[in-house]
Amino acid sequence: MLRVLSSHSPLLRLRHSRILAFPPSVRNAATRMSLPRDIREFLEGYPGLPDDPRLNANLEFYSNRRRCRPDNLLIDELHEQWKTNYAKLEYKHGYIQWLFPLQEYGMNYEAQPLQKHELAAMKDDANILERLHRSYTMMLGFYGMQLVSRETGELRRADNWEQRYRNLVRAPHNNLRISRILKCLSEFGQERLNAGFLLFVLSEQSANDQLNTQTITSSMDRWWANCLRNEEERRWVNETIQNARSKPDHVFTDDAYREALRRRQETGSFRTAEDA
């Protein structure tokens, strides 16, 4: 029988501590191999995937020149009509690959995997990056969160957070969506937002006992927290999560969350002088 370990499992923590005992080069390789395959491919930049210059569906959609399928909406229409239509955001599924394109396949066969030439062009287009920002803030609202700072990625609870948190807890398919969102932000050079999301969720779990189900913590520890290509940042975020999970007296507070983001903005790193 396959045994599934929770993120709070002593056995999982023991495995993690054994990995940490190895030299950095061995530790990094061991940690990378323990990650899910889709995360490894993301961290490696999707090596070996061909670029087809004939395919431009994502670029055209984000330029407001192509309608997504199957919902038949331009991106500006989707943002305007669905921003607070939480029933559509919950029960429709095809839109998420259009709003957050990746170089990997998803479940919507009418969406196209992101091509490398599209990514290069989209990252250089200020209007497209602004639309990506709107996509992110729309989904944050759906999850009961609000962006405070575009520079640091700081979040806070939205006014309707209780209702939206309940939906996030009972609808675990959103965990897959969040993995896609975080990967996409990283692909488009917006990775600073990822830690703002991850550490906000951690503070809600650790200090406020919200979003603290086994399903969410498992997705967060195995997938979300590894959607960071900056290796130093990914290591610090994972260490902070594991400290909050494994040490009963270690609470990652709201103040600690804001201080961590402030420190990174001012110094370029989450680590303190004591950590170095």
Side-chain angles (χ1 to χ4, degrees):
M1 179 181 295
L2 178 64
R3 185 180 181 189
V4 179
L5 300 177
S6 81
S7 59
H8 302 281
S9 164
L11 180 56
L12 194 61
R13 291 200 299 270
L14 177 60
R15 288 178 182 173
H16 180 72
S17 66
R18 285 175 174 171
I19 288 174
L20 291 178
F22 288 109
S25 60
V26 177
R27 183 170 69 233
N28 292 343
T31 301
R32 182 71 63 90
M33 289 306 297
S34 71
L35 296 174
R37 179 178 177 179
D38 67 298
I39 293 294
R40 295 200 308 270
E41 291 175 347
F42 158 76
L43 292 175
E44 293 164 5
Y46 301 102
L49 285 182
D51 180 68
D52 189 336
R54 299 168 299 176
L55 301 179
N56 289 289
N58 297 294
L59 175 58
E60 292 171 2
F61 175 66
Y62 254 94
S63 299
N64 209 43
R65 292 188 283 112
R66 178 188 284 256
R67 295 181 179 274
C68 64
R69 302 293 179 187
D71 299 300
N72 199 36
L73 292 169
L74 295 172
I75 189 169
D76 288 352
E77 294 172 342
L78 195 156
H79 285 153
E80 170 135 4
Q81 296 174 26
W82 289 21
K83 183 176 181 180
T84 56
N85 192 330
Y86 298 142
K88 283 193 181 293
L89 293 176
E90 176 59 37
Y91 296 111
K92 295 277 191 176
H93 300 288
Y95 71 92
I96 200 72
Q97 287 173 232
W98 290 94
L99 288 185
F100 301 98
L102 294 174
Q103 296 181 59
E104 60 191 66
Y105 282 93
M107 300 300 292
N108 180 6
Y109 71 92
E110 295 186 87
Q112 172 207 293
L114 181 66
Q115 301 298 302
K116 296 183 189 303
H117 72 273
E118 290 184 297
L119 177 59
M122 293 166 76
K123 286 171 68 174
D124 283 341
D125 190 316
N127 291 325
I128 286 177
L129 293 180
E130 183 60 33
R131 288 189 177 106
L132 180 62
H133 173 72
R134 283 185 219 139
S135 297
Y136 180 54
T137 56
M138 182 178 75
M139 295 308 293
L140 286 177
F142 175 60
Y143 297 136
M145 305 170 194
Q146 186 176 12
L147 186 64
V148 175
S149 169
R150 222 164 149 167
E151 287 68 40
T152 68
E154 180 184 347
L155 304 183
R156 66 185 173 204
R157 292 175 175 177
D159 291 340
N160 59 347
W161 68 273
E162 291 180 281
Q163 176 193 26
R164 302 316 312 155
Y165 279 20
R166 282 196 297 271
N167 184 76
L168 184 52
V169 165
R170 69 171 178 249
H173 67 93
N174 282 293
N175 297 348
L176 298 174
R177 291 175 169 181
I178 289 170
S179 295
R180 171 172 281 271
I181 291 167
L182 295 174
K183 289 178 186 176
C184 181
L185 292 174
S186 181
E187 282 273 67
F188 280 82
Q190 309 297 305
E191 192 169 274
R192 69 187 181 282
L193 300 172
N194 294 19
F197 177 89
L198 292 165
L199 296 176
F200 175 74
V201 173
L202 180 62
S203 69
E204 288 288 69
Q205 293 168 341
S206 181
N208 303 312
D209 198 28
Q210 298 290 333
L211 304 176
N212 207 22
T213 65
Q214 182 175 341
T215 301
I216 290 178
T217 58
S218 177
S219 290
M220 181 170 173
D221 295 3
R222 192 150 167 73
W223 275 272
W224 305 351
N226 292 301
C227 293
L228 293 161
R229 284 180 172 153
N230 181 313
E231 188 170 345
E232 179 189 348
E233 200 157 291
R234 184 172 71 251
R235 187 181 301 119
W236 187 89
V237 167
N238 274 277
E239 289 171 359
T240 301
I241 291 171
Q242 290 307 315
N243 283 337
R245 300 270 194 258
S246 61
K247 300 177 182 178
D249 59 341
H250 185 97
V251 178
F252 189 75
T253 64
D254 301 338
D255 287 342
Y257 167 60
R258 288 186 288 272
E259 170 60 22
L261 294 180
R262 182 199 63 76
R263 186 167 62 247
R264 181 184 63 171
Q265 185 179 34
E266 292 181 355
T267 70
S269 173
F270 280 122
R271 295 197 181 276
T272 64
E274 291 76 17
D275 293 331

